Amino acid sequence: GRALLVLLLSATVSLLGGLIFGYELGIISGALLQLQIDFQLSCFKQEVLVSSLLIGALLASLVGGILIDRHGRRRAILVSNLVLLFGSLILTLARSFIGLVIGRMTVGFAISVSSMACCIYVSEMVAAHQRGLLVSLYEAGITVGILLSYALNYIFADVAEGWRYMFGLAIAPTAMQFLSILFLPVNPVKLNSWDSDSQKGLIQLQTMEDREVTKREPYKEKHYSFLDLFRTRDNMRSRTLVGLGLVLFQQFTGQPNVLGYASKIFHSVGFQSNSSAILASVGLGAIKVVATLVAIAFADKAGRRALLIAGCVVMAISVTTIGLTSCTAPLAMARDCKAAADSNASHGYTQHPVMPASSRPPVSHFPPALGAGRSQAGPGFAATRVAQSRGVVTDSSHIQKVGLAGQSEKETVESTGSPVSGVPFTEHMVLNWITLLSMMAFVSAFSIGFGPMTWLVLSEIYPAGIRGRAFAFCNSFNWAANLLISLSFLDLIDAIGFSWMFLLYGLMGVMAVIFIYLFVPETKGQSLEEIDQQFSRKR
């Protein structure tokens, strides 16, 4: 009975932790549309407000690991909940831009600490054959949180100061997680740690003789310093290589930018109205939820290594297909906002002249390369940058729907030319649909592989004495790599072109497959102590 209670409460903590993370990342997209009007935010201030969460998260990645290792995972989650409640109150009651920035930095710090502590705590709390399912629930929670934020953005879009409700509602799941973890024990409960049926058929780190010796030896927790991560002691350097390789390849395979330009692809295949683009955006989120559930179901059966390799292969094929199709049917890329302070230009750049509503055609079916698609390049573009650090779906077409005082209903962009490069219209549409399907495959593959499995493996491969600091170290590279890729994406497109950019992502996907095959071992069904001793014994 106690084991079942621990299992249910661990699942609740993991799911609510992910939901809070996803909600806080997604809610800013809708809130910004009201904030830029209420506070007269310039483009620079919008970017500062969006980036403030990232700064808080980076700071937490640098110091949160010490908190997790020295004061325990459970206490770290409780503290992060209190900090998140405090940050949400600051945002809800904010009367100035500085208050908003401080509130978002506080929230960013809290969700970053919580994300690390939740994965580690849950991985230590449950049995080996349940660990994949429980830790992967966190990733599912992130996607559900994003979809919930979309719904609340839509509901409060026309409410006066609706952004206060958007920020304030984060208090509810935070309080629920706080109460749930109070009923969980401080120290991990050891359930069937050595004798799990699911250990059969593993890709072994060592021989069967070594495994028998490992089982007979009592496990003694060791103490480590941060610098041990880069030393050969207990093979820590190799573990750090595995952790950094996973988080960097997770970003360098292109997931932030594929999702960031989803709205362009939606418009290109005929989702011309904002409401239909929203539906497509939510549909993409639903696909991600389903794919994450598949990963949860198979994490403890197929194994982490198999799902990572399969996901990387599909991702590489998908982005390569997008790159090849865009050679023939290029997509127009919108620049980040430059003149949001100008109320007439706050909706971002357009590729062609804006036409009055009276002169627009009834329905346009031309792809965005012809100018029919609009891009919300202001707050939407900035907001997507933070929200994609964990692979969540954020779509600027959603932001078009809910904001800017009805501008999107009053303005349109008219097509001014013939199909690009002389490509027949029918062929152009076929290529764009191929691009859309490739993007759906990419999102699904990421949600099965890199999305949940990266954090699951990170929570398993390090010794307990340094697990928090090691996880935080790798997490800081994740945030930094995401920021670097997001900021350099448009400059790289200017330099080498959209098609070559995505072909480069495909090449990175192939390199990721090779890296995982050579360096990432299978850890399914093994206790954390067994994984640690196997790593310590063998390179």
Side-chain angles (χ1 to χ4, degrees):
R2 187 184 180 213
L4 180 61
L5 179 63
V6 167
L7 185 66
L8 292 175
L9 286 175
S10 297
T12 302
V13 167
S14 184
L15 190 62
L16 285 175
L19 188 144
I20 296 165
F21 191 103
Y23 181 85
E24 291 290 359
L25 292 177
I27 202 66
I28 189 65
S29 60
L32 262 180
L33 295 165
Q34 296 185 355
L35 290 171
Q36 68 174 353
I37 297 171
D38 292 353
F39 290 88
Q40 298 296 307
L41 299 182
S42 64
C43 181
F44 175 73
K45 286 186 174 181
Q46 291 176 50
E47 292 173 343
V48 168
L49 183 57
V50 171
S51 301
S52 59
L53 183 136
L54 178 60
I55 294 169
L58 268 173
L59 181 62
S61 296
L62 298 176
V63 302
I66 300 173
L67 170 65
I68 293 169
D69 279 340
R70 289 189 179 176
H71 300 285
R73 293 78 159 108
R74 180 175 180 269
R75 188 173 297 175
I77 298 173
L78 291 172
V79 169
S80 72
N81 287 154
L82 294 175
V83 173
L84 185 57
L85 290 171
F86 180 64
S88 297
L89 284 175
I90 293 176
L91 287 168
T92 304
L93 304 175
R95 296 290 176 184
S96 67
F97 173 71
I98 297 298
L100 291 171
V101 171
I102 293 174
R104 287 298 284 177
M105 283 186 66
T106 305
V107 166
F109 185 93
I111 64 173
S112 183
V113 171
S114 176
S115 70
M116 297 182 290
C118 277
C119 291
I120 295 172
Y121 181 74
V122 171
S123 73
E124 294 174 342
M125 189 59 60
V126 299
H129 64 280
Q130 299 164 333
R131 194 168 57 241
L133 186 151
L134 269 294
V135 177
S136 298
L137 269 179
Y138 190 91
E139 188 72 19
I142 291 176
T143 309
V144 173
I146 281 291
L147 292 178
L148 178 62
S149 71
Y150 277 1
L152 292 177
N153 280 344
Y154 188 84
I155 291 171
F156 292 111
D158 299 321
V159 177
E161 294 194 333
W163 56 270
R164 296 189 187 275
Y165 299 101
M166 297 178 193
F167 290 138
L169 285 172
I171 292 174
T174 305
M176 289 174 62
Q177 188 188 39
F178 185 89
L179 293 174
S180 297
I181 202 168
L182 287 177
F183 294 97
L184 279 170
V186 176
N187 297 316
V189 179
K190 299 301 179 187
L191 300 171
N192 303 322
S193 60
W194 293 109
D195 300 310
S196 171
D197 291 338
S198 57
Q199 289 182 15
K200 297 176 181 177
L202 298 178
I203 298 174
Q204 302 297 343
L205 281 171
Q206 57 187 169
T207 65
M208 288 304 296
E209 291 78 7
D210 288 337
R211 284 171 60 84
E212 292 303 319
V213 172
T214 300
K215 286 187 178 184
R216 290 195 298 268
E217 290 179 356
Y219 179 74
K220 297 178 182 178
E221 185 172 316
K222 301 175 183 178
H223 297 282
Y224 297 88
S225 69
F226 178 76
L227 291 179
D228 284 331
L229 286 174
F230 312 102
R231 294 173 178 152
T232 56
R233 177 192 175 189
D234 293 335
N235 216 9
M236 291 297 294
R237 189 183 295 166
S238 295
R239 306 188 205 209
T240 304
L241 171 67
V242 171
L244 287 180
L246 286 175
V247 296
L248 292 176
F249 275 119
Q250 185 190 53
Q251 298 298 322
F252 291 152
T253 46
Q255 61 88 12
N257 297 318
V258 171
L259 298 178
Y261 287 94
S263 61
K264 276 288 179 187
I265 300 174
F266 289 143
H267 280 289
S268 73
V269 296
F271 294 104
Q272 294 300 318
S273 70
N274 289 323
S275 57
S276 62
I278 279 187
L279 185 62
S281 173
V282 174
L284 194 64
I287 290 171
K288 185 172 174 61
V289 171
V290 172
T292 306
L293 293 177
V294 171
I296 290 173
F298 287 97
D300 290 314
K301 296 177 182 177
R304 294 78 158 124
R305 175 185 164 96
L307 291 178
L308 279 168
I309 291 176
C312 275
V313 169
V314 176
M315 287 170 66
I317 294 172
S318 300
V319 290
T320 301
T321 302
I322 293 174
L324 292 175
T325 55
S326 63
C327 288
T328 308
L331 298 174
M333 291 291 106
R335 267 287 177 186
D336 201 351
C337 66
K338 300 291 185 184
D342 179 1
S343 61
N344 293 325
S346 62
H347 57 277
Y349 287 138
T350 53
Q351 297 293 321
H352 296 274
V354 175
M355 305 298 292
S358 59
S359 64
R360 69 185 179 192
V363 179
S364 172
H365 295 288
F366 289 98
L370 306 181
R374 298 179 65 244
S375 173
Q376 173 65 35
F381 188 95
T384 58
R385 293 298 153 224
V386 175
Q388 288 143 11
S389 64
R390 290 291 287 259
V392 294
V393 179
T394 55
D395 190 358
S396 56
S397 60
H398 166 72
I399 298 163
Q400 290 177 0
K401 172 68 178 177
V402 295
L404 297 185
Q407 286 183 4
S408 60
E409 281 78 28
K410 297 179 182 178
E411 298 173 349
T412 189
V413 181
E414 187 178 46
S415 171
T416 58
S418 58
V420 175
S421 305
V423 179
F425 177 72
T426 303
E427 182 182 343
H428 199 107
M429 287 300 295
V430 169
L431 290 173
N432 281 327
W433 274 102
I434 292 174
T435 302
L436 175 62
L437 293 174
S438 298
M439 187 180 68
M440 294 168 65
F442 181 92
V443 169
S444 300
F446 181 87
S447 301
I448 289 174
F450 268 135
M453 294 304 119
T454 297
W455 312 108
L456 175 55
V457 172
L458 280 179
S459 68
E460 294 176 326
I461 63 175
Y462 293 104
I466 198 174
R467 193 170 289 139
R469 284 165 289 171
F471 198 108
F473 175 72
C474 294
N475 197 32
S476 65
F477 273 81
N478 179 70
W479 288 103
N482 176 261
L483 181 63
L484 173 66
I485 292 170
S486 300
L487 293 177
S488 63
F489 181 62
L490 290 175
D491 291 325
L492 282 173
I493 283 182
D494 288 342
I496 66 175
F498 180 84
S499 300
W500 283 105
M501 188 74 248
F502 274 73
L503 291 174
L504 180 60
Y505 287 150
L507 177 61
M508 294 301 295
V510 173
M511 293 174 63
V513 171
I514 296 172
F515 172 83
I516 294 166
Y517 181 80
L518 293 177
F519 295 106
V520 180
E522 182 57 79
T523 58
K524 71 171 182 177
Q526 302 175 72
S527 72
L528 298 177
E529 293 88 350
E530 186 176 7
I531 295 169
D532 179 30
Q533 293 193 20
Q534 289 176 349
F535 257 109
S536 299
R537 287 172 177 272
K538 197 158 188 172
R539 291 186 175 276

